[in-house]
Amino acid sequence: MLFVVLPAYNEEAALRILLDDIREACRNIPTQIIVVNDASTDQTLQLAQDYARSYPQVRVVSHQENKGLGGSLMTGFKQVFTLRRSLAKEGLVWEKGYYHDIILTMDADNTHPADRIPLMVEQINLGADLVVASRYAPGGNQYGLHPLRKLLSWGAGQVMGRFFPVEGLKDYSCGYRAYRASVLENTYLIYGEELIESRSFAGMVELLVKVVNYCRDIREIPFDLHYEKKQGRSKMKILATIGGYFSLIIRLKKETWGWVEWVRE
C-alpha cells in the first residue's frame, strides 16, 4: 500500500489539480492519500473534504492551530501508522505485486510532478529504504525559482552535506520523498515526538538526517521542480529558514556529542 502524506496550508488553488494528478499517476497502485490541513485560512479544508467524499482513498485531517510543516508531517505519519495497523487487521495491506508499504511525502502546491511517484514506488520495491526526488541528480532541474531561493536550497545541501554526509545524496531540503514504511515507523518509535522538532522548512532536513541512520539503501531519482506552477505567495521566510538550518545543526551536533560522551563514560 502506498500512503501519500500531503501537508497543506492555504492550497485551495492547487490542491484539486494535484489530487487528480496523484490519482492518475497511481491508478495501478493501491493508494491512500492523507491531506493534513494546517489551519488554512482559505477554502483548503472545504475543498479537501468535498474531494474525500467523492474519492474514499482520500482522507482529511485538520489542525485547529497552525503547526508548521514539521507538525503537519508528524500528524500525517501518525495517521498512516494507525491506518496501517487497521488495514493489516483487515488483511488489506499486502497487495499482489507490492511487497512493502510505502510512505510518500510531497508539497501540496503542485510544484512536485506526480508522474515521478511510480518510479519512486518501484525503487522501494527493488530494495531502497528511502528514495529522494532530487533537482540535483543527473537529469533533474528546477524552473521558476527566484535566484535567492535557488542559492538557499543549494547552500543548504552543501552545508548539510558537510555536517551530515550521506553518500550519493545531493538534495537535502526537497520534501518529495518515498520511505519504506517500516523504516520510518521504527525511526518514529526511537525518537517519538522528537522525530521532527523543527516546525519550519528545516524539519525536512531534520527528518532526513534522523531517518538515514536506519536506512541501508538510499537512492536519488531526478525530477523537475516546477515552481512556476505554484499559486499564491511562497510560505518560506528566507531569514527564518536560514536560522532554522543553523539551529538544527547546532542542536543535532550537541545531541551527537552528548551521546559520544555518554558512551565514553
Side-chain angles (χ1 to χ4, degrees):
M1 180 74 73
L2 170 67
F3 300 93
V4 180
V5 175
L6 292 178
Y9 175 65
N10 289 350
E11 301 292 0
E12 64 177 3
L15 186 58
R16 178 177 292 277
I17 298 171
L18 177 60
L19 290 172
D20 286 342
D21 287 348
I22 293 173
R23 289 179 49 248
E24 174 62 22
C26 299
R27 61 186 181 279
N28 297 318
I29 303 172
T31 303
Q32 288 284 324
I33 303 171
I34 294 91
V35 178
V36 182
N37 171 55
D38 194 24
S40 297
T41 57
D42 64 0
Q43 296 301 308
T44 295
L45 176 59
Q46 186 64 52
L47 186 152
Q49 290 174 333
D50 290 345
Y51 200 100
R53 278 191 281 271
S54 300
Y55 301 100
Q57 68 265 50
V58 177
R59 298 167 182 250
V60 182
V61 186
S62 190
H63 293 160
Q64 294 300 311
E65 296 181 0
N66 186 277
K67 297 185 179 182
L69 177 59
S72 297
L73 287 171
M74 288 291 287
T75 295
F77 292 159
K78 287 184 282 187
Q79 285 289 317
V80 171
F81 301 152
T82 299
L83 187 55
R84 286 185 75 216
R85 288 189 285 273
S86 175
L87 292 176
K89 290 179 181 178
E90 299 173 15
L92 298 177
V93 171
W94 305 109
E95 298 278 351
K96 184 178 180 181
Y98 292 87
Y99 309 108
H100 303 284
D101 283 353
I102 299 164
I103 300 174
L104 185 139
T105 61
M106 60 193 304
D107 291 352
D109 57 7
N110 206 32
T111 59
H112 293 165
D115 62 7
R116 296 279 84 188
I117 295 176
L119 178 57
M120 298 170 80
V121 169
E122 178 185 36
Q123 292 300 307
I124 296 290
N125 285 330
L126 289 174
D129 294 314
L130 169 64
V131 180
V132 177
S134 171
R135 298 159 285 180
Y136 309 122
N141 213 325
Q142 48 190 336
Y143 303 95
L145 204 62
H146 189 279
L148 186 58
R149 283 286 303 276
K150 282 187 178 182
L151 180 62
L152 175 60
S153 297
W154 178 84
Q158 295 297 307
V159 172
M160 293 300 167
R162 189 172 185 85
F163 282 96
F164 308 103
V166 179
E167 185 177 356
L169 190 63
K170 301 180 182 67
D171 203 328
Y172 278 69
S173 58
C174 181
Y176 199 1
R177 304 172 188 162
Y179 307 81
R180 187 183 301 274
S182 58
V183 171
L184 185 56
E185 185 162 9
N186 288 339
T187 308
Y188 172 74
L189 292 174
I190 293 168
Y191 284 97
E193 296 301 313
E194 295 179 354
L195 177 59
I196 311 177
E197 295 182 84
S198 304
R199 291 303 184 245
S200 67
F201 287 89
M204 290 307 308
V205 179
E206 179 179 10
L207 175 62
L208 179 70
V209 169
K210 291 178 176 177
V211 168
V212 295
N213 292 322
Y214 306 97
C215 295
R216 292 175 297 179
D217 189 336
I218 301 167
R219 306 181 188 183
E220 277 193 338
I221 65 161
F223 93 109
D224 291 339
L225 173 68
H226 285 283
Y227 206 75
E228 79 281 3
K229 293 183 178 181
K230 181 175 177 61
Q231 304 289 327
R233 299 176 60 185
S234 171
K235 301 171 185 67
M236 176 182 284
K237 296 178 174 60
I238 292 179
L239 291 179
T241 300
I242 293 173
Y245 285 147
F246 281 104
S247 296
L248 176 64
I249 292 170
I250 293 170
R251 175 162 54 82
L252 292 182
K253 282 300 182 182
K254 279 184 177 179
E255 291 174 3
T256 302
W257 293 331
W259 183 82
V260 170
E261 291 301 320
W262 178 81
V263 170
R264 287 175 178 171
E265 292 175 3

